[in-house]
Amino acid sequence: MKPGLRIDGLRVQGFGRFSQLHRELGPGMHLLYGPNEAGKSTLLAFLRSMLFGFEKNGHPERYEPRDGGTFGGELRLTTELGPLLVRRVAASRKSKGEPTVLGPDGQPLPWERVQDALGHVSRELFFDVFAFRLDELAGFERLTEQRGASEALVAASMRGARRLPEVVARLEKSAGALYKPNGQTPLLNEALRALEDVQARLREAGDRPARYFAEKERLAARSEEQRVLEAELHDAGRELERLGRLEAALADVSALAEARAELASLPELEHFPEGGEARLEDALHRRRSYRAEGARLAEKLATVDAGLERLAAPSPVRGRGEALHLALAAYTERSGLLRALPARRAAVEEKRRQVERELRELGLPVDGPGLMALDLSASVRAALEELATRLAAVETERREALGARMRARSERERLDGAVARVRGELAGLPDVRPAQVRQQQSGLGRLRTVRGELDRLSEQRAELRRQYESARSQGEPTPADVVLPMWWVPAVAGVTVVLAVVTWLLAGTVAGALSLVGGLLLTGVLELARRRVEAARDAGLEAHAARQRGRQQEEERLRSTLAGLAAREEMLHRDLLSAAAEAGMTPVATASDLATREAALAEALEQAGRRELLLREEEKLREGHGEAVREEQRAEETLREAEVRRGTLATELAAHLSARHFPSTLPASAALTLWRDAAALRQRLLDVGAEAAALAVDERACAPVALKLWEEAVAAGLASGLGFSEPGSTRATQAMTAAIPQGALETVAARVSAALDSEREQTAERRVLEESRRELLAEKARLDGLSHEEELALALLLAEGGGADEESFRRRAAQARRYAELTHRARELSQRIEARTGLTEAHVREALREVGGEEGLHASLGTRRARHTEAQERNKAVLTELGALSNQLSAWENDDELARLRIEEEALRARVAELATRYAADRLTLALLARARRRFEEEQQPRVVQLASEHFAALTGGRYRRVFIPTSEERELRVGDGERDWSAAQLSRGTREQLYLAFRLAVVRDFGETRGALPLIVDDVLVNFDPERARGAIRLLARLSTQHQVIAFTCHPWLREAFAAEGARVQELDSTVSTAQPIPAPELQAG
Amino acid sequence: MPFKFVHAADLHLDTPFRGVAAPGPLPGRFQESTFRALTRIVDLCLRERVAFLLLAGDLFDVKDRSVRARLALRRELARLDTAGIQSFIVHGNHDPLSGDTGTLGLPASVKVFGPDWEEADVVREGRHLCRVQGISYPDVEVREDLSARFRRTGDGFNVGLLHANLGGAEGHANYAPCTTAGLGARGLDYWALGHVHTRAEHALPGGGVAVYPGNPQGRHAHESGERGCVLVEVEDGGTRRRFVPVDGVRWHKLELPLSGVGTLDGLVSTALEAVESRCASELDGHAVRLTLTGRGPLHRELARPGALAQVETELRERLAKVHPPVLLESLRDGTRPELDVEALRAAGGFSRTLLDEARFLAESPEELARLWEQEALGSLGQRLKRLGVDVLATPRPEWVVGAGLHGAESLHEEDAP
């Protein structure tokens, strides 16, 4: 057994519910007993944390103290190299806690000392095997179930491989996700597939450059071919075109031949008159029309002659037309006037009656003639108007004067009131002037200033006097006289000599000489001291005299200042008196008196100012009053004058009115209106008279006109006679006129007018007919001339056409037309042939003959066309191929597909390499783990399994004899009783836990033998054991505790007793007062 | 008469970047950089008024079958032809004569060497400048030392143009193997080599020099740093060589220590800062392999399934948006757990057995090979190899050690996932 580590004591500073908990442990077996929640698990976690660091923040086993104090504690350990004190306190909230290791003398030691003592056990192995709880024992069970015992065994019992199953599972998952030899979805499989795909596509693309250059050569060959084809096509095209033209001209050539043959059959008709037939027809037509025109003219002449004959019949009106016309004109001129005469007469009568009625209504004492006799001239009206105007002006003046008088009177009364108010106010004010008051105020101010100054002066004087007094009283005494008198020195010298002689006598020469020398030296020192003191005193005296002089000068200055102050005080007193007199007060008046006086003066000043103001206002008011009185008097006077003028004018007006037969009492304006109305009526009377005169004139003028018309009508047989033989005077005329019935005259006038119109129309018609007859005769003469000319022209045309008569002429004309047509056609055909073929007619015929005529031409054309089409097809095919080749080449020149594929290929290669590397790493790690596990099991396990068998047999009281791992692939853990065996899963829970405990104890012992004995800490792991097996387990622990420290926790009294029976040192943990165990020993010390 | 020439090799035109597992627009854009590198080489020739350009094999990959590559080569060489600059080409294992060489229709001034030794004279303005001799690969696999066929044929400057593996450089197929002694014995002044993608110069016994210019554009994480061609100035038989970078997109392998990084967000921002500080802004873009190293509290968080991939995705997206854009090839977790392996071993127990087993397997190839087959990794490796991925082609002892650590770490974890 190798020495390892033992926990001798623990001190919890703060951990979970514990603070300041102290427990002493030591070698052997210890039981910490306590009920539930007494902190057993907390203490297990504390021991783990002290040795391997606190759990991470948030971990359930971190156990930070509840009260937030120091987190950590101390362990006292015994190791091979001596005692150690391990202290671990978390520095921060997240800290794992830095451990401190102290030696026996408190010297700090490296952490490696603890690790050495722990045999470099890993944290995982320690937690799994050396310090565990019941659930962690069961955790072993979980691993067994899931993974088979072998890995779990390796994991739990083989140090440092607790996580082996998880790691293997993770690696296999990772490798599986990367690659499977026959898989599809893993990453590497996919990448490989993609790479193969890209490479296949690259293979498909083929050898690009080789194809490129081959295609390029093909392109050149095809270009050459195309060029040759192009030339051939061009030639063939030209030949085809030539033949095509010949073919197009074939029809024209034959038509031309026919035309020429017909022309030859016709007589020579080149000089047949141009358009002869048409001209003949025209001439014939014209001749016919001339003849028809002549017949029509003769008919018209007959009609005209008949009309003239009809108009030559006699008429009664003819010959009297002029007189009738004049009479009718005169009547028509006055017919309107005649018709209006009766109405005008009635209207004049009516107007006259109306004027006379209005005159009566006007109220003037005159009738119509009287009115005409009144003087209503413009001068009278002007005089009347002037009087009215003057009267109105006088009236206005009078009214203004009245208004002015009223205003002046009210102004005067207002001023009277103001003067009375000012006087009343003045009577209430004292009779003082402001200047006086201001003088008193200034006196008062000066009095106040002088008194203040006097006070300050007296203070200054008192201060000065105090200084003066103090200056005088500061006189200091003269310094004291000599301290050491002169004679002291010889006296001391003498005494010294005497003492020296006495010494010589008593003690001998040497002593005497010595005392003499000593005495003389002392005397010298005394003399030196005395001289120093003398010099200091002289200096003091001099300083004293200087101070005395300065003080005298100061006194002198103060005295003169005091005198100056007294003179100034005197002056101020005088000022005080004069100021008091001015202010009207005594000089000794108090400050309150002064204030009262000041207030009174301010009020008096205000009143005096007001009084002056009022006096000036009264003066102004007085002046205003006088002015108002004068104004009133002036207004009175003006009024009186206006009254006088108005009286005069009224008298004048009355005289004026009575002179004109107007009522004399009328006011001016009414008289003026009356005047205007009378004038208007007189004017209207005059107008009526003028109108009646005009009417009479008109009646006189109309009568002869009417009579004349009637007489003329009778003469023409248009009216019957009236019986008057001779018209005589005007009066007779008027009487005749009156005898004619009103409507008859109108009828006669209408009849006369109609007869006149009819006569005029007949005259006009006759003139028209005569004119027409003349024109018709002229037209007939012209037609005869034309007809003759036409006959001559016709004869000439027939002669020119070579025809004896019209019939033969027409025949020849038809032949001539055909001749011209054929000639024109031949020319046209010839031109067309030339245009189509570009050859003359002769050449065309020659060419046709060459190709074998029409038949030969068609055959040749057919074959050539077929050949040309074929060549075109070929050319097109070559061109298409050329285009495709160029496209392909330019695509290859610019195409980056290959480059892209190559990039993709390289990217996939890189990816495949990366994935394969990762896959290989995973596979290699897995393989290594498997090999290491096998080797580990082979080398390490037998001893552990052997120990486990021993323990399990002891734990089960010999029920099972051995634990073993079969060599099959399963490599599971099995137990046997010598006859048959079971897997761990087949065991009951308690038995299974006993198996796992047995394995742990085996590992603990193995570790102790090979590496170092470490303490075993178990937290209530025996609860599922029956009492017998529990006692067996405790016995096993007790045996183990001879080599290893064993610390057990339990809450079960029966287990406590069992532990106690096996010699365990029992300590209790109190659930309620666990923190209330103050440990008197404040600090642990190593050892 | 002094003259200049440019020596480039391994253009690998229109070849995709390797090792980028994530799709996105950047790989396509960056692939164009191989063309831009060639354009810059030609620009350099024109700017420096060189006498000729040497292209030492692997102008493109036959397996890429890119038409664009052939056309680009023709276009760029035509520019040189217009300027009166000759070009000399040999073919290598990636573009052997047996395949399509893409030389069809190249300008007349371009000399493509055949499968047998040939020599060409370079004459300018009527004066003989130098001789260039070269041999192209007839097939992909050439195991013969082609350099043995080269020889000095006269006075003046002699250049050998060859695609070859000098001194058995690792990481490259051992085609046309040759040695410095062998090259020196041929008596040439300048060996313009191709095949090894990392720039190198070898002084030869006898005074000559063999130069690998490296490839002008890096294409995967192992081709990090500046890439370009060599400008050679020849005067009085001596050479002055100057490397000229022409790469547009640069590869970086960056390590990011985890110490001091507490959160995944912090990791992302730290990584962004680290990458941006290392990526020069004048280039067209960058490609980065980022490896997290060291121990740190984030190790466990990164070990969670999907965590690393999530960070990688976020980082890739954000880097793609910076200017110039950065392509994150991969984010690799090279961190170690906060696990004291020695203490674990000392503690014994299962972990010790596990670690011992891992060590045993790593030291015993036969056992490892047996385990490899047992876990069917061999057959998977065969399948991958057929697809062009040789990550599992041979058993990897270091993986077993890693697996042991991984196992021990997993067992040691405190919290179950």
Side-chain angles (χ1 to χ4, degrees):
Chain A
M1 187 62 56
K2 288 198 172 181
L5 177 144
R6 193 180 71 219
I7 301 169
D8 282 345
L10 60 91
R11 180 164 168 273
V12 185
Q13 281 180 310
F15 196 84
R17 62 199 299 273
F18 295 116
S19 71
Q20 304 304 332
L21 174 74
H22 179 227
R23 282 284 182 268
E24 282 297 331
L25 300 168
M29 184 158 73
H30 300 268
L31 179 72
L32 293 169
Y33 170 77
N36 287 334
E37 300 190 14
K40 300 186 294 295
S41 299
T42 311
L43 269 188
L44 173 69
F46 175 74
L47 291 172
R48 285 175 171 190
S49 302
M50 281 296 107
L51 292 173
F52 290 95
F54 298 118
E55 293 291 351
K56 286 179 179 166
N57 205 16
H59 194 282
E61 285 191 32
R62 185 165 166 88
Y63 287 115
E64 283 194 36
R66 293 173 188 177
D67 52 6
T70 311
F71 179 31
E74 293 171 350
L75 287 184
R76 210 171 66 238
L77 307 176
T78 296
T79 69
E80 183 188 11
L81 295 175
L84 294 176
L85 181 71
V86 173
R87 182 181 297 148
R88 194 187 286 269
V89 175
S92 70
R93 291 272 308 152
K94 291 187 177 178
S95 169
K96 191 178 172 183
E98 279 308 308
T100 314
V101 183
L102 301 175
D105 305 326
Q107 76 276 25
L109 294 172
W111 178 248
E112 281 72 27
R113 286 288 293 277
V114 178
Q115 283 182 316
D116 288 342
L118 281 169
H120 290 280
V121 66
S122 70
R123 178 188 169 99
E124 292 75 29
L125 186 59
F126 190 81
F127 281 27
D128 257 2
V129 175
F130 290 93
F132 53 95
R133 296 188 302 264
L134 179 63
D135 57 331
E136 286 165 340
L137 192 67
F140 193 93
E141 175 188 20
R142 180 174 52 80
L143 288 177
T144 319
E145 281 169 1
Q146 286 177 355
R147 289 284 162 195
S150 174
E151 283 176 7
L153 274 177
V154 172
S157 66
M158 312 315 151
R159 304 178 301 262
R162 183 172 68 129
R163 296 168 46 79
L164 181 62
E166 289 166 26
V167 169
V168 168
R170 205 172 70 209
L171 282 171
E172 277 180 346
K173 187 177 165 199
S174 160
L178 283 172
Y179 178 70
K180 284 177 189 155
N182 298 315
Q184 293 289 323
T185 50
L187 296 174
L188 183 54
N189 293 79
E190 279 183 352
L192 283 172
R193 232 178 19 257
L195 182 56
E196 281 161 355
D197 180 47
V198 165
Q199 290 190 341
R201 272 153 62 201
L202 271 170
R203 272 195 300 279
E204 272 172 32
D207 190 355
R208 266 296 162 76
R211 284 170 64 195
Y212 174 80
F213 289 113
E215 294 291 304
K216 193 133 193 173
E217 279 174 24
R218 230 177 96 206
L219 180 70
R222 284 282 176 276
S223 297
E224 181 58 28
E225 189 183 346
Q226 199 267 335
R227 204 176 53 74
V228 173
L229 268 175
E230 198 77 51
E232 279 176 15
L233 262 177
H234 183 66
D235 292 347
R238 280 179 61 183
E239 181 62 16
L240 255 181
E241 193 190 347
R242 191 179 71 87
L243 292 177
R245 284 177 176 188
L246 281 179
E247 189 188 27
L250 263 179
D252 291 343
V253 168
S254 54
L256 182 62
E258 281 169 21
R260 289 258 155 84
E262 195 179 344
L263 260 180
S265 70
L266 285 176
E268 189 63 34
L269 279 170
E270 273 180 39
H271 303 294
F272 191 80
E274 189 83 18
E277 202 173 8
R279 276 164 65 192
L280 177 70
E281 288 301 326
D282 281 354
L284 287 175
H285 181 253
R286 273 200 301 275
R287 195 175 66 184
R288 269 198 307 279
S289 71
Y290 289 154
R291 283 180 185 163
E293 187 79 2
R296 203 169 43 80
L297 278 178
E299 200 177 319
K300 273 188 191 169
L301 261 177
T303 317
V304 169
D305 286 342
L308 280 174
E309 203 167 327
R310 182 176 48 85
L311 288 176
S315 161
V317 179
R318 194 174 304 153
R320 306 189 69 89
E322 191 65 23
L324 272 173
H325 188 71
L326 285 174
L328 183 64
Y331 172 76
T332 311
E333 195 180 325
R334 284 177 173 78
S335 64
L337 206 56
L338 265 172
R339 273 196 299 274
L341 281 177
R344 278 172 65 190
R345 208 175 290 129
V348 168
E349 282 306 315
E350 178 58 38
K351 275 184 192 170
R352 185 184 300 278
R353 274 196 300 275
Q354 196 178 352
V355 168
E356 282 174 358
R357 190 170 60 241
E358 278 180 30
L359 181 61
R360 280 193 301 274
E361 281 169 6
L362 200 59
L364 271 180
V366 284
D367 55 356
L371 181 64
M372 298 304 284
L374 274 180
D375 184 3
L376 292 171
S377 64
S379 63
V380 175
R381 196 188 70 173
L384 196 58
E385 276 176 354
E386 192 206 334
L387 274 176
T389 312
R390 278 167 57 195
L391 259 174
V394 166
E395 187 61 29
T396 311
E397 209 173 306
R398 189 179 141 263
R399 266 204 300 278
E400 275 175 7
L402 264 175
R405 196 183 62 181
M406 288 288 288
R407 276 198 303 282
R409 194 169 290 163
S410 67
E411 176 68 14
R412 183 178 51 80
E413 280 164 2
R414 188 183 65 77
L415 287 173
D416 282 344
V419 168
R421 181 177 54 78
V422 169
R423 281 202 183 135
E425 198 171 339
L426 267 179
L429 288 174
D431 184 8
V432 185
R433 281 205 315 281
Q436 291 172 344
V437 179
R438 274 199 204 93
Q439 197 176 358
Q440 284 180 356
Q441 270 182 329
S442 79
L444 195 61
R446 234 173 39 202
L447 179 64
R448 200 184 283 274
T449 319
V450 169
R451 280 175 68 167
E453 241 173 276
L454 266 174
D455 288 347
R456 267 200 308 286
L457 205 64
S458 65
E459 274 171 24
Q460 273 178 9
R461 210 167 57 171
E463 173 68 17
L464 276 176
R465 191 166 294 281
R466 202 162 49 247
Q467 283 178 8
Y468 179 67
E469 288 302 325
S470 69
R472 285 183 60 173
S473 63
Q474 267 174 7
E476 51 186 285
T478 39
D481 274 355
V482 184
V483 183
L484 277 180
M486 186 66 181
W487 53 269
W488 275 33
V489 179
V492 169
V495 169
T496 309
V497 170
V498 170
L499 283 172
V501 170
V502 171
T503 313
W504 175 59
L505 286 177
L506 290 176
T509 315
V510 177
L514 279 173
S515 53
L516 182 63
V517 169
L520 287 174
L521 275 172
L522 273 172
T523 316
V525 167
L526 189 67
E527 173 62 15
L528 215 64
R530 194 191 65 83
R531 284 193 182 167
R532 281 280 179 86
V533 169
E534 287 277 288
R537 194 172 62 95
D538 287 350
L541 278 175
E542 265 178 37
H544 178 73
R547 278 200 298 278
Q548 282 297 104
R549 273 196 304 278
R551 196 176 304 120
Q552 275 169 3
Q553 280 167 2
E554 180 69 19
E555 271 177 35
E556 210 47 45
R557 189 181 61 78
L558 287 172
R559 209 174 7 245
S560 68
T561 312
L562 272 173
L565 284 177
R568 176 147 174 70
E569 192 177 7
E570 191 64 27
M571 213 164 66
L572 283 172
H573 273 298
R574 275 202 298 278
D575 277 355
L576 184 70
L577 279 176
S578 74
E582 210 169 279
M585 296 188 75
T586 57
V588 293
T590 60
S592 64
D593 289 346
L594 282 178
T596 317
R597 179 73 181 153
E598 206 164 21
L601 279 177
E603 197 180 335
L605 183 64
E606 195 181 329
Q607 283 174 354
R610 175 76 186 147
R611 183 185 157 79
E612 287 222 329
L613 209 71
L614 286 172
L615 280 175
R616 275 200 296 277
E617 195 179 337
E618 189 192 1
E619 196 68 27
K620 255 195 300 190
L621 284 172
R622 257 183 226 289
E623 283 170 19
H625 188 260
E627 185 67 26
V629 169
R630 276 192 298 279
E631 190 72 22
E632 192 183 353
Q633 282 166 358
R634 263 200 307 276
E636 284 285 346
E637 207 157 313
T638 314
L639 187 61
R640 265 197 308 279
E641 279 172 20
E643 291 285 348
V644 170
R645 266 209 309 276
R646 197 177 64 163
T648 319
L649 281 172
T651 320
E652 201 173 327
L653 180 66
H656 194 85
L657 287 176
S658 61
R660 263 81 189 168
H661 301 290
F662 280 31
S664 59
T665 53
L666 272 179
S669 60
L672 204 52
T673 310
L674 186 60
W675 186 89
R676 269 190 209 114
D677 290 346
L681 278 177
R682 199 175 70 158
Q683 186 60 43
R684 276 169 66 190
L685 210 54
L686 282 175
D687 289 350
V688 170
E691 213 170 311
L695 184 63
V697 169
D698 283 349
E699 278 174 349
R700 270 195 307 276
C702 281
V705 172
L707 194 62
K708 176 76 175 163
L709 177 64
W710 189 265
E711 282 167 3
E712 285 293 330
V714 171
L718 295 171
S720 59
L722 288 174
F724 301 104
S725 55
E726 189 72 27
S729 63
T730 307
R731 184 145 313 270
T733 306
Q734 278 180 358
M736 281 160 66
T737 307
I740 298 168
Q742 187 64 37
L745 195 56
E746 298 267 329
T747 317
V748 169
R751 219 179 282 160
V752 169
S753 170
L756 277 175
D757 283 348
S758 159
E759 177 62 19
R760 212 169 21 249
E761 272 169 19
Q762 280 180 0
T763 313
E765 193 182 349
R766 192 165 51 242
R767 245 198 317 274
V768 167
L769 284 173
E770 279 167 5
E771 182 65 22
S772 173
R773 186 166 181 275
R774 225 179 4 259
E775 279 174 10
L776 286 170
L777 286 177
E779 180 70 17
K780 192 166 179 294
R782 194 181 58 86
L783 262 178
D784 290 344
L786 278 174
S787 186
H788 182 65
E789 275 174 25
E790 198 61 50
E791 290 293 338
L792 286 178
L794 187 61
L796 189 66
L797 183 64
L798 284 174
E800 203 179 332
D805 53 10
E806 284 173 27
E807 196 54 38
S808 62
F809 185 87
R810 282 207 176 90
R811 211 166 38 244
R812 277 185 71 83
Q815 284 177 344
R817 207 162 48 240
R818 178 66 185 157
Y819 183 86
E821 203 179 280
L822 283 173
T823 313
H824 177 73
R825 181 157 167 74
R827 200 179 317 125
E828 195 183 69
L829 283 169
S830 169
Q831 278 168 0
R832 255 165 63 186
I833 287 167
E834 205 168 324
R836 281 191 174 161
T837 60
L839 299 170
T840 59
E841 191 189 333
H843 284 110
V844 169
R845 286 180 200 290
E846 183 65 25
L848 276 173
R849 214 175 12 262
E850 272 175 21
V851 298
E854 194 178 336
E855 290 296 315
L857 176 66
H858 284 313
S860 173
L861 256 178
T863 51
R864 275 173 200 277
R865 276 207 181 113
R867 278 222 303 276
H868 188 253
T869 314
E870 195 184 325
Q872 268 180 334
E873 288 294 321
R874 242 174 53 225
N875 191 31
K876 209 160 97 186
V878 170
L879 277 175
T880 312
E881 195 179 342
L882 270 177
L885 277 174
S886 307
N887 282 344
Q888 177 68 73
L889 287 175
S890 83
W892 280 341
E893 277 164 20
N894 302 315
D895 183 22
D896 57 351
E897 195 204 337
L898 262 175
R900 257 194 313 104
L901 280 174
R902 283 282 294 124
I903 289 172
E904 204 178 333
E905 185 190 16
E906 287 301 342
L908 281 168
R909 275 182 179 155
R911 172 127 181 93
V912 163
E914 181 200 329
L915 291 171
T917 308
R918 274 165 57 193
Y919 173 70
D922 285 350
R923 292 282 357 145
L924 286 174
T925 311
L926 277 170
L928 263 182
L929 285 172
R931 285 174 70 103
R933 194 188 71 191
R934 274 198 299 281
R935 188 167 140 191
F936 190 85
E937 284 169 1
E938 285 162 13
E939 290 175 359
Q940 307 276 339
Q941 193 180 299
R943 169 70 180 148
V944 175
V945 173
Q946 186 190 339
L947 288 172
S949 292
E950 280 177 24
H951 293 157
F952 193 49
L955 278 175
T956 58
R959 165 77 179 80
Y960 299 98
R961 296 208 181 144
R962 85 183 180 112
V963 176
F964 67 100
I965 297 170
T967 50
S968 70
E969 269 308 299
E970 286 296 313
R971 295 183 66 77
E972 63 170 352
L973 181 65
R974 297 187 77 84
V975 294
D977 61 355
E979 290 177 4
R980 51 175 294 213
D981 52 73
W982 298 266
S983 69
Q986 289 171 311
L987 301 174
S988 73
R989 179 180 178 180
T991 313
R992 211 157 54 233
E993 285 180 5
Q994 284 144 24
L995 174 63
Y996 300 150
L997 181 63
F999 246 97
R1000 282 189 166 84
L1001 296 181
V1003 174
V1004 169
R1005 273 182 70 185
D1006 179 61
F1007 196 88
E1009 285 165 10
T1010 56
R1011 310 278 291 281
L1014 299 185
L1016 175 68
I1017 309 165
V1018 290
D1019 180 8
D1020 244 352
V1021 295
L1022 309 180
V1023 292
N1024 293 322
F1025 293 12
D1026 63 37
E1028 187 57 36
R1029 290 194 181 174
R1031 271 196 292 280
I1034 293 168
R1035 259 199 304 283
L1036 199 58
L1037 291 177
R1039 206 157 66 231
L1040 190 73
S1041 71
T1042 56
Q1043 303 290 338
H1044 300 259
Q1045 185 183 29
V1046 174
I1047 303 168
F1049 299 93
T1050 188
C1051 61
H1052 299 286
W1054 62 276
L1055 280 173
R1056 174 190 176 169
E1057 284 166 16
F1059 270 102
E1062 291 299 330
R1065 284 165 60 192
V1066 178
Q1067 300 192 42
E1068 291 209 4
L1069 289 169
D1070 191 341
S1071 65
T1072 53
V1073 287
S1074 57
T1075 58
Q1077 286 198 339
I1079 302 304
E1083 292 279 330
L1084 292 179
Q1085 282 201 332
Chain B
M1 178 184 177
F3 63 93
K4 298 183 201 171
F5 64 90
V6 167
H7 170 203
D10 302 290
L11 301 180
H12 289 279
L13 291 171
D14 207 13
T15 301
F17 281 18
R18 294 218 302 261
V20 186
L26 279 187
R29 274 165 60 192
F30 282 9
Q31 188 166 333
E32 306 277 333
S33 58
T34 53
F35 295 128
R36 282 200 290 279
L38 174 58
T39 304
R40 287 190 179 115
I41 290 170
V42 171
D43 289 343
L44 174 71
C45 292
L46 297 174
R47 194 168 61 241
E48 296 290 339
R49 300 171 197 285
V50 300
F52 54 91
L53 165 68
L54 301 175
L55 296 176
D58 285 358
L59 308 187
F60 36 76
D61 281 6
V62 169
K63 69 167 188 289
D64 287 332
R65 291 170 285 181
S66 166
V67 174
R68 297 193 302 184
R70 275 68 165 175
L71 296 176
L73 182 68
R74 202 179 294 182
R75 188 175 63 239
E76 295 300 334
L77 293 185
R79 286 172 63 205
L80 289 182
D81 181 59
T82 310
I85 297 172
Q86 277 182 275
S87 311
F88 295 95
I89 293 176
V90 293
H91 289 284
N93 53 312
H94 282 291
D95 56 347
L97 293 171
S98 62
D100 145 55
T101 57
T103 51
L104 193 72
L106 287 182
S109 67
V110 180
K111 167 67 185 166
V112 181
F113 288 99
D116 298 314
W117 181 87
E118 285 180 86
E119 189 177 53
D121 288 322
V122 182
V123 178
R124 204 171 203 193
E125 295 164 7
R127 294 182 63 179
H128 183 265
L129 289 184
C130 70
R131 293 185 179 85
V132 179
Q133 38 191 289
I135 304 178
S136 284
Y137 279 31
D139 292 300
V140 172
E141 290 204 17
V142 174
R143 301 292 178 184
E144 177 200 346
D145 179 6
L146 292 178
S147 70
R149 303 200 218 162
F150 287 65
R151 57 193 176 273
R152 190 176 187 89
T153 55
D155 289 343
F157 198 74
N158 278 259
V159 176
L161 181 59
L162 186 61
H163 196 74
N165 189 345
L166 173 58
E170 280 188 17
H172 293 81
N174 199 15
Y175 295 144
C178 55
T179 60
T180 48
L183 294 186
R186 310 323 305 165
L188 303 186
D189 298 298
Y190 186 93
W191 280 92
L193 301 180
H195 187 55
V196 174
H197 287 191
T198 308
R199 176 159 43 105
E201 286 194 3
H202 303 269
L204 301 178
V209 63
V211 175
Y212 280 114
N215 54 348
Q217 171 60 57
R219 292 174 301 120
H220 50 80
H222 296 302
E223 295 179 354
S224 56
E226 284 185 329
R227 300 270 147 179
C229 58
V230 174
L231 173 68
V232 185
E233 294 178 48
V234 182
E235 191 166 7
D236 299 332
T239 57
R240 207 162 44 245
R241 299 170 297 279
R242 180 155 67 89
F243 173 77
V244 181
V246 297
D247 51 345
V249 177
R250 196 158 292 166
W251 280 86
H252 308 268
K253 277 202 281 192
L254 302 183
E255 292 195 346
L256 186 69
L258 263 192
S259 50
V261 184
T263 61
L264 291 183
D265 286 343
L267 175 64
V268 170
S269 52
T270 311
L272 278 175
E273 276 172 29
V275 171
E276 287 190 36
S277 68
R278 298 280 294 273
C279 292
S281 61
E282 66 271 13
L283 290 177
D284 300 336
H286 297 270
V288 174
R289 171 181 291 181
L290 199 57
T291 307
L292 306 175
T293 60
R295 295 178 186 195
L298 268 187
H299 170 78
R300 178 159 298 170
E301 201 158 345
L302 284 171
R304 276 192 297 110
L308 189 68
Q310 192 184 339
V311 174
E312 185 182 26
T313 306
E314 185 182 346
L315 205 52
R316 179 171 286 131
E317 282 173 4
R318 292 180 62 173
L319 282 173
K321 287 176 192 155
V322 302
H323 183 81
V326 177
L327 170 67
L328 180 66
E329 183 239 30
S330 58
L331 175 68
R332 302 190 172 202
D333 184 11
T335 58
R336 282 171 295 150
E338 287 182 301
L339 188 66
D340 187 349
V341 178
E342 285 314 311
L344 207 59
R345 198 188 290 279
F350 186 73
S351 296
R352 178 180 180 160
T353 311
L354 182 69
L355 293 173
D356 286 350
E357 194 67 21
R359 186 188 280 175
F360 165 72
L361 279 171
E363 287 167 357
S364 155
E366 299 83 20
E367 276 295 317
L368 180 59
R370 203 156 51 238
L371 181 72
W372 205 258
E373 287 307 320
Q374 201 178 322
E375 291 297 319
L377 294 178
S379 59
L380 179 61
Q382 292 297 321
R383 186 177 171 192
L384 296 187
K385 195 164 184 184
R386 279 198 298 280
L387 295 169
V389 180
D390 51 4
V391 66
L392 294 183
T394 51
R396 305 271 194 101
E398 70 274 17
W399 285 14
V400 182
V401 176
L405 279 175
H406 179 52
E409 187 191 351
S410 303
L411 289 173
H412 200 73
E413 276 175 18
E414 285 181 18
D415 295 314

